[in-house]
Amino acid sequence: MSADPRVLLYAIERELKVLSWWESSPPSAEALASTEPFCLDTLSFPQWLQFVLIPRMQALIDAGSPLPTRISIYPMATESFRELAEDTRALEEAIARLDEALSGQPVSREA
């Protein structure tokens, strides 16, 4: 399993596409300007992954900037996906691996 953030971001993108959650049109600028964590007042969690997390992380990588080390996306993912019918385990695992790669800490995965 790779700890390369680019590979991990691609894995999240791939799983969003597998689940048919990848959107062709971005949300409005107003929705993206939310100040709430994960933009949860204006975006679904999959939208936040696609339109906020992935582009921001990619921009940091492209600029050679330091990546965040205090990151904990996995708990939000498991909570967001808890009631869904879709099998989100592969997406949750990709998110857990990104958290681990950036924070350097193991993620406690739910059973």
Side-chain angles (χ1 to χ4, degrees):
M1 295 207 181
S2 174
D4 178 349
R6 283 185 197 272
V7 172
L8 299 174
L9 290 171
Y10 176 73
I12 293 169
E13 177 180 332
R14 184 182 64 242
E15 293 307 323
L16 288 169
K17 289 176 178 175
V18 166
L19 290 162
S20 299
W21 291 349
W22 193 260
E23 298 183 14
S24 56
S25 305
S28 69
E30 294 79 21
L32 292 169
S34 170
T35 58
E36 292 293 316
F38 305 104
C39 300
L40 53 93
D41 60 334
T42 58
L43 301 178
S44 69
F45 187 68
Q47 286 175 317
W48 179 82
L49 291 170
Q50 179 181 351
F51 296 108
V52 178
L53 176 73
I54 293 173
R56 286 185 184 171
M57 294 294 293
Q58 198 63 54
L60 290 172
I61 293 167
D62 292 346
S65 298
L67 299 177
T69 56
R70 293 186 58 195
I71 189 165
S72 185
I73 302 166
Y74 179 75
M76 182 64 180
T78 58
E79 184 61 32
S80 295
F81 303 149
R82 185 177 314 279
E83 302 298 322
L84 300 179
E86 293 91 348
D87 181 353
T88 59
R89 289 176 293 184
L91 178 55
E92 290 174 28
E93 181 60 24
I95 292 168
R97 289 174 47 218
L98 181 66
D99 274 3
E100 290 173 341
L102 295 177
S103 71
Q105 300 297 314
V107 169
S108 176
R109 287 152 173 88
E110 296 183 4

